[in-house]
Amino acid sequence: MSESNSVLEGKKLAFVGSGVMAESMISGVLEKKLILPQHIFASHPRTKRAEELQAQLGVCASTSNREAAQAADIVVICVKPQRLRAVFHELAGVVTSSQLVISIVAGANSSSIAQQLRHAAVVRVMPNTPAQIGHGISVWTCTPEVNEEQRVQVRAILSALGKELFFEEEKFVDMATAISGSGPAYVFLVMEALIDAAVHLGFSRQDARELVTETLLGSVLFAQESHRHPAELRNMVTSPAGTSAEALYQLEKGGLRTILSKAVHAAYQKTATLSDIINKG
Ligand SMILES: NC(=O)C1=CN([C@@H]2O[C@H](COP(=O)(O)OP(=O)(O)OC[C@H]3O[C@@H](n4cnc5c(N)ncnc54)[C@H](O)[C@@H]3O)[C@@H](O)[C@H]2O)C=CC1
Ligand SMILES: O=C(O)[C@@H]1CCC=N1
């Protein structure tokens, strides 16, 4: 494996809290050959999980957050919000000024991360689970202390997971948490409900799954490639006095748009609650 031409050449990356998202990010970075596995450090409280990561991905895994963080140029914090204060407590004073800290923790704003870690250069990212297959989208921001070289490195890491979008204003990361961060959960719920509806009509589970998955995938690709407004695409399906119009009537009557908007707003408001947990304990 070669790291040549990589903006991350020779750089070492640590993941503190190696669950679902950390594993997705590690896989993406390895897949794109951005960093050698021996230059990736991961920590997890359970020895068995650390051993599993080491065996599966070839990274250096241990149960010590401090050891992992000290070994790297870039430290990615991937614990749940409720664990963050304990991790800050462990890492404050350990992370040095030459290092870069990236947090993917929902609700954790960069000023409180900088303050609690006593570290100025902080990047805040909201990725999503399709990152596991390189089709994620990550929304990010950073403190002014993050230099241009580090910004390029962050872009390279996030591009290994799919698309990335930078915003100067941090509020967009919280807003994105409710759209792209939690979004896959909404889509999977719709997918599950449609599969169940198809089974209700009489399709086998296997056929129902294929019909629904291909319909969702085809519709998304069609919208992306045609560049047409969703309403125009919907009208193409909806014949006068036809089946789609009948179904759409029921969806609108059930308040689909309102319920989606309420759900997104609730997720957005929850980021503030998570922020309180992180700041006040
Ligand atoms: N799952 C998702 O779709 C997304 C999650 N996020 C954020 O990513 C973060 C991680 O989420 P997931 O990977 O889904 O959670 P996860 O639960 O899969 O991973 C967190 C890992 O941290 C470990 N852990 C617990 N206490 C620890 C400690 N003191 N030190 C080190 N590790 C510790 C846990 O055992 C677990 O394996 C969360 O803050 C979440 O807000 C962000 C975007 C999307
Ligand atoms: O549900 C959560 O809190 C995390 C953040 C975005 C997606 N999952």
Side-chain angles (χ1 to χ4, degrees):
M1 182 186 297
S2 153
E3 284 182 291
S4 61
N5 300 324
S6 166
V7 291
L8 292 160
E9 188 172 356
K11 293 291 172 200
K12 296 190 171 111
L13 198 54
F15 290 86
V16 172
S18 306
V20 171
M21 289 313 293
E23 192 173 333
S24 306
M25 292 179 82
I26 296 171
S27 303
V29 165
L30 289 177
E31 175 89 6
K32 291 277 175 340
K33 299 186 173 21
L34 289 179
I35 296 185
L36 295 167
Q38 59 268 35
H39 286 176
I40 296 181
F41 300 82
S43 62
H44 194 277
R46 273 189 306 114
T47 313
K48 202 156 182 280
R49 170 70 175 157
E51 286 170 356
E52 189 185 287
L53 284 165
Q54 190 141 340
Q56 271 176 15
L57 302 168
V59 299
C60 312
S62 78
T63 54
S64 167
N65 292 338
R66 282 184 180 216
E67 250 177 58
Q70 278 169 327
D73 303 286
I74 302 170
V75 181
V76 192
I77 313 276
C78 303
V79 293
K80 292 284 190 200
Q82 293 79 358
R83 305 276 179 194
L84 196 55
R85 277 173 78 84
V87 168
F88 283 155
H89 192 68
E90 249 182 292
L91 297 185
V94 170
V95 182
T96 63
S97 59
S98 63
Q99 290 177 294
L100 176 67
V101 169
I102 300 178
S103 164
I104 65 160
V105 182
N109 51 56
S110 54
S111 59
S112 71
I113 298 171
Q115 194 193 356
Q116 295 191 46
L117 264 187
R118 303 199 295 275
H119 183 82
V122 173
V123 171
R124 192 178 157 203
V125 183
M126 182 43 55
N128 64 6
T129 53
Q132 275 198 19
I133 55 157
H135 284 281
I137 181 151
S138 302
V139 171
W140 65 287
T141 192
C142 63
T143 57
E145 288 79 6
V146 178
N147 65 37
E148 194 45 45
E149 190 190 349
Q150 290 170 322
R151 288 172 197 228
V152 171
Q153 290 166 354
V154 172
R155 280 216 163 84
I157 293 170
L158 300 182
S159 298
L161 315 176
K163 297 202 167 148
E164 52 84 25
L165 269 181
F166 173 81
F167 287 91
E168 277 304 337
E169 283 183 87
E170 186 156 355
K171 67 175 184 189
F172 288 101
V173 178
D174 287 321
M175 284 153 61
T177 305
I179 295 290
S180 51
S182 293
Y186 318 153
V187 173
F188 296 133
L189 181 65
V190 168
M191 187 184 267
E192 199 187 330
L194 280 175
I195 291 171
D196 284 345
V199 170
H200 193 184
L201 285 182
F203 283 108
S204 70
R205 283 232 158 248
Q206 199 185 347
D207 288 345
R209 191 186 160 108
E210 192 172 1
L211 281 173
V212 171
T213 310
E214 287 304 316
T215 302
L216 290 177
L217 183 66
S219 304
V220 169
L221 289 174
F222 188 24
Q224 207 173 40
E225 286 176 26
S226 70
H227 300 289
R228 291 187 184 178
H229 190 284
E232 199 187 334
L233 296 169
R234 182 164 51 80
N235 288 350
M236 286 165 67
V237 189
T238 313
S239 315
T243 59
S244 311
E246 208 57 41
L248 290 171
Y249 172 76
Q250 290 299 335
L251 288 170
E252 297 285 18
K253 197 174 163 203
L256 181 75
R257 287 175 205 252
T258 313
I259 206 74
L260 276 176
S261 189
K262 279 186 173 175
V264 167
H265 205 74
Y268 175 61
Q269 283 177 321
K270 185 72 185 180
T271 60
T273 316
L274 293 176
S275 171
D276 284 346
I277 294 171
I278 292 155
N279 291 330
K280 298 174 197 149

